Amino acid sequence: MLTLSDSLSQRRQLGRRYFMQIGGAALGSLALPMLNSRQAQGGGARSPVTGKSVICLFQQGGPSQLETFDPKVDAPAEIASVGGEIPTSVPGIRFGSSLPQLAQHAHRMAVVRNYQTNTGHGGVAPLVSKQLGDASIGSAYARVAGVNHPETGLPNSMFMIPQSIDGDQKTLGERFGKFDAVGGLGKAYAPFVPGGKGPLQEAMNLTLPRDRFDNRRNLLKSLDGARRQFDAVVEMDGLSGIQAQALDLVLKGVASAFDLSKEDPRTVARYDTSQYYNPRLWSYAGDKTRNNIPWYTAHTKTLGKMLLLARRLCEAGCGFITIHSEFVWDFHADSNNVAVAEGKQLVIEPFDHAVSAFIEDCEDRGLSDDILLVCCGEMGRTPRINKNGGRDHWPKLAPLMLYGGGLTAGQDIGRSTRDAGEAVGVPQTPDDLLATIFHTLFDYAEARLIPDLPTDLKRALASIEKNPGVLAIR
């Protein structure tokens, strides 16, 4: 852990040995690799990344296609969308009744109605791909782009959980799979988890006496002084690239990107989804409560702010962010999970609010071409409602929505059968989604020139490059 205290910053010169200790002992266990040599060395070499960012909002548990983007109100009662459907800003396109805000943004989005995951149980697909050697998309991105942004020092790949916003919220951890899997790429390329555990999280903490911490001016003075001495040490003595990069992660002030208090309070309020917190909807059979209450609590209290934080981090240079809102989309209507009618209020409505706020914010800030938002889960829900008013796991069709990245503009892709049970014709798959994400992120011509890129990853990039992906490029 890096410590900047009164005695250190005012009485002792920060010399080469001290910075070596920070970069080596304090952060050495992190083993941060430098950016690939083409980026690190500069020299006019082009970057293997486009400069765009992707946010994947992962709807763990399997969102219902019928109550979101593919309603079937004319189907029999045991199949039809619970609560009906509503028109959107695109003539002829209708959404489930719990998405009134997103319905007004349909002309800015792409909805895929023939997306098929072929998995019927909770898991990590499509975030972890066989094409990538069982590595996560975020890990593969970090291996190509580098672990940290070359200018800000911000981690290039992050995995966000409710604890990233509120440390009191519970998290599923790896109960349903290892979302930060690195395959054969190496642990150093695992996504950074704000609010999680690990050496980097500890290393980013600044420990200061309370009276100094409370004095913002003195804190900034301490950091500015440390920066000047650090730059002098680098120039005179030369730290290793890894040590310099590790220290820069702290001293360049990247922590400010994580600070939502720097946002306009009106923007924070616009994103806030805590209004959907409603314990009354958790009662079951009169005297029972569902075991998944902590996940519904985390979803309603943090989803909007996780999207706001993701937008801030993308603006600061992060290339790939996964948002995991916990296992709340599993509408079985059993002792653990809510029924569809309850899930509409507890899960779908806060999703509608948060994603709409994100879209409006990006439009206002001119970010619609710079950030691609992907919303999907690992599967869909059964067309037929079960006897308790829930829908069960369904691998043959799942909802998929995308916004931004310079790719979307009211696209309506594919069709499903009358009961929203299967794709009509050839379905879109997680491989097609991966291609869309990679086309957004990478300059393939430059990525192929990275000299130390693992052979398996080079082969995967070459294969994915040939896939046109889900979306049409504007």
Side-chain angles (χ1 to χ4, degrees), residues 170-254:
K170 290 188 176 181
T171 183
L172 287 168
E174 297 179 3
R175 178 179 170 187
F176 293 100
K178 191 171 177 58
F179 293 95
D180 59 353
V182 297
L185 299 177
K187 292 182 179 179
Y189 296 98
F192 172 59
V193 185
K197 297 179 179 179
L200 183 52
Q201 278 77 9
E202 290 300 314
M204 285 185 68
N205 291 331
L206 297 179
T207 300
L208 291 160
R210 180 57 182 260
D211 59 341
R212 297 271 301 161
F213 185 79
D214 288 342
N215 188 325
R216 182 176 179 83
R217 180 176 299 176
N218 285 337
L219 173 60
L220 293 175
K221 182 177 179 181
S222 294
L223 291 175
D224 288 343
R227 278 285 300 170
R228 287 193 297 272
Q229 293 183 53
F230 167 63
D231 291 339
V233 169
V234 172
E235 182 177 352
M236 291 185 298
D237 296 318
L239 294 179
S240 73
I242 291 177
Q243 290 163 336
Q245 185 186 31
L247 190 59
D248 254 8
L249 183 60
V250 176
L251 294 184
K252 280 187 175 178
V254 298

Side-chain angles (χ1 to χ4, degrees), residues 59 68-70 88-90 93-95 99 102-115 351 355 359 363 368 371-376 398-414 428 433 436 440 469-474:
Q59 298 164 277
T68 54
F69 302 109
D70 197 9
T88 72
S89 59
V90 177
I93 303 299
R94 303 181 76 82
F95 288 172
L99 299 176
L102 282 176
Q104 301 306 308
H105 297 293
H107 61 289
R108 297 186 171 109
M109 298 155 41
V111 172
V112 183
R113 303 176 189 271
N114 63 345
Y115 180 61
F351 169 82
V355 176
I359 291 174
E363 292 293 322
S368 61
I371 302 175
L372 174 67
L373 174 67
V374 178
C375 299
C376 67
L400 171 62
M401 187 278 281
L402 305 97
Y403 158 78
L407 304 175
T408 63
Q411 296 187 52
D412 183 36
I413 299 169
Q428 301 283 351
L433 176 58
T436 296
T440 302
V470 172
L471 301 180
I473 299 176
R474 286 191 287 169

Side-chain angles (χ1 to χ4, degrees), residues 420-471:
E422 297 187 47
V424 173
V426 179
Q428 301 283 351
T429 70
D431 286 348
D432 301 313
L433 176 58
L434 178 64
T436 296
I437 291 172
F438 273 22
H439 293 339
T440 302
L441 293 172
F442 294 139
D443 180 332
Y444 288 97
E446 294 301 316
R448 283 193 294 265
L449 298 178
I450 300 174
D452 58 344
L453 203 64
T455 301
D456 289 346
L457 184 53
K458 280 189 175 182
R459 187 179 299 115
L461 287 172
S463 175
I464 295 169
E465 183 181 7
K466 299 175 183 178
N467 185 333
V470 172
L471 301 180

Side-chain angles (χ1 to χ4, degrees), residues 80-91:
S81 308
V82 174
E85 62 182 30
I86 55 176
T88 72
S89 59
V90 177

